[in-house]
Amino acid sequence: MTVNPNLIIPVGTQVVTSVEITKSNGDLAFMRGAVGVVVSAPTHRTQSYRVRLIDGTEAALNRSDFVIRNHFTDPQAPSDPLADYDLNDYVIYRCIVGSRAYGLDHAESDTDRRGIYLPPAELHWSLYGVPEQLENDATQECYWELQKFIVLALKANPNILECLYTPLVEKVTPLAEELRALRASFLSQLIYQTYNGYVTSQFRKLQQHWKNEGEIRWKHAMHLIRLLLAGVTALQEGYVPVDVGDQREALLAVRRGEMRWDEIDEWRLGLHREFDAAFQQTTLPERPDYEAANTFLIKARRSMVTL
């Protein structure tokens, strides 16, 4: 595995030098193998680190001048290649979901980015494996490993299906474009069970919270109504709507607390009835196209094999 020069080692990391450290007069201060701690990290790979050694001396070192100590000291355990890999380099699809994609955003709304990453085959096949998802709470980003993404899509996970149907796409490789072209293959009657079940359980929790705390979570209620609206359209028309369109003002009224709780509940129950009727009449298949999804996954995996 090659070291990824874009990965910045954080302050506080213990390291072992792989070069000799000299004093300002040129005399040898430490031989290779000295232990230190990172006290200042750069913002770019071309800059150096400040490393404090055991006597308090600080040295400016490049990333190639040291190794992370826990990779150096345990010969029984191989080093984790993920520590020197930035898996974000393997993101093949990045899109915007959430309020900005729904058309429900305001000036202070976050920008929620989601997507897919496809790791190198050697890393995926290794003893270490790869994480199912990459998350960065600070930047509101989450990227699912391709197989995890596909499995969730086949289960009609609303968040995943919205990723495939959002109009706000920032990055899409040719392989990801193929997946988007297959998105209808993931739609099935499972949408009815998944969406309906989630909304029912979450509304029950909202009602219980209202009874216990005397507080209504208006934003959550709005998104549950939005999810039911999307589910009805998916069963009726065979696609997942993301932008709420002409329902925007009514949904914003829910979020602002301008609609009574009993009105919201009545709206919800009416949508459940519409959902039931749409389920009885839908032309969506009973199950998604597992074969198409599997064929695509194998093709994608093969594309990451280094010959």
Side-chain angles (χ1 to χ4, degrees):
M1 297 295 178
T2 57
V3 171
N4 185 345
N6 297 305
L7 185 67
I8 303 299
I9 305 303
V11 171
T13 302
Q14 289 192 344
V15 299
V16 177
T17 63
S18 53
V19 295
E20 294 179 343
I21 307 297
T22 57
K23 299 177 182 178
S24 57
N25 62 5
D27 291 344
L28 180 65
F30 289 95
M31 297 179 62
R32 293 176 57 187
V35 175
V37 62
V38 174
V39 294
S40 177
T43 57
H44 191 270
R45 68 177 188 271
T46 60
Q47 300 169 329
S48 61
Y49 292 79
R50 296 293 299 178
V51 175
R52 182 175 296 142
L53 301 163
I54 56 175
D55 67 347
T57 300
E58 291 187 6
L61 299 176
N62 295 321
R63 178 62 185 88
S64 58
D65 294 338
F66 62 83
V67 295
I68 298 172
R69 183 169 178 263
N70 64 0
H71 294 179
F72 181 86
T73 57
D74 187 2
Q76 297 290 327
S79 61
D80 180 2
L82 294 181
D84 279 331
Y85 255 77
D86 186 352
L87 292 176
N88 289 285
D89 289 344
Y90 300 98
V91 169
I92 62 172
Y93 181 62
R94 182 172 63 249
C95 63
I96 295 175
V97 294
S99 60
R100 296 196 183 278
Y102 304 145
L104 296 170
D105 56 304
H106 52 81
E108 281 129 32
S109 293
D110 293 328
T111 300
D112 299 315
R113 289 180 170 86
R114 301 290 183 268
I116 306 166
Y117 85 99
L118 179 60
E122 291 84 354
L123 190 58
H124 180 77
W125 293 336
S126 72
L127 288 173
Y128 317 101
V130 293
E132 289 189 333
Q133 61 194 58
L134 311 175
E135 295 184 79
N136 187 330
D137 291 335
T139 58
Q140 300 294 311
E141 293 180 79
C142 179
Y143 302 99
W144 290 273
E145 195 278 322
L146 178 61
Q147 182 174 343
K148 178 68 172 181
F149 184 93
I150 287 175
V151 168
L152 290 172
L154 291 168
K155 293 179 178 180
N157 180 288
N159 294 326
I160 299 297
L161 294 180
E162 286 172 4
C163 285
L164 290 172
Y165 280 87
T166 178
L168 304 182
V169 176
E170 294 186 329
K171 177 180 180 179
V172 57
T173 66
L175 197 62
E177 195 64 74
E178 284 188 45
L179 182 62
R180 276 175 59 86
L182 284 172
R183 59 190 178 182
S185 302
F186 295 101
L187 302 186
S188 73
Q189 294 175 26
L190 290 177
I191 288 173
Y192 176 76
Q193 288 84 13
T194 303
Y195 283 45
N196 230 346
Y198 178 76
V199 172
T200 300
S201 66
Q202 290 300 307
F203 245 93
R204 190 177 299 117
K205 290 179 181 179
L206 283 180
Q207 289 171 324
Q208 193 63 44
H209 182 78
W210 179 34
K211 290 177 182 177
N212 293 341
E213 307 294 333
E215 177 188 38
I216 298 174
R217 295 172 177 167
W218 299 109
K219 183 177 179 180
H220 194 33
M222 175 194 71
H223 282 300
L224 293 176
I225 295 291
R226 180 196 58 77
L227 194 60
L228 275 178
L229 288 165
V232 170
T233 299
L235 290 183
Q236 290 176 338
E237 302 183 33
Y239 79 98
V240 177
V242 178
D243 191 294
V244 298
D246 59 7
Q247 295 288 349
R248 181 176 187 273
E249 290 308 315
L251 288 167
L252 289 177
V254 174
R255 186 170 70 187
R256 292 191 295 258
E258 297 171 357
M259 189 178 292
R260 298 195 317 271
W261 179 254
D262 61 330
E263 292 178 302
I264 297 171
D265 200 31
E266 184 179 350
W267 189 7
R268 173 185 73 92
L269 293 173
L271 287 172
H272 276 300
R273 289 190 291 270
E274 284 187 50
F275 213 1
D276 293 342
F279 179 60
Q280 296 300 320
Q281 300 172 8
T282 187
T283 58
L284 289 180
E286 185 176 347
R287 292 288 185 270
D289 191 340
Y290 295 105
E291 184 177 348
N294 190 57
T295 298
F296 173 81
L297 178 60
I298 291 171
K299 177 183 178 179
R301 289 271 187 259
R302 283 176 175 156
S303 75
M304 298 304 289
V305 175
T306 303
L307 300 178

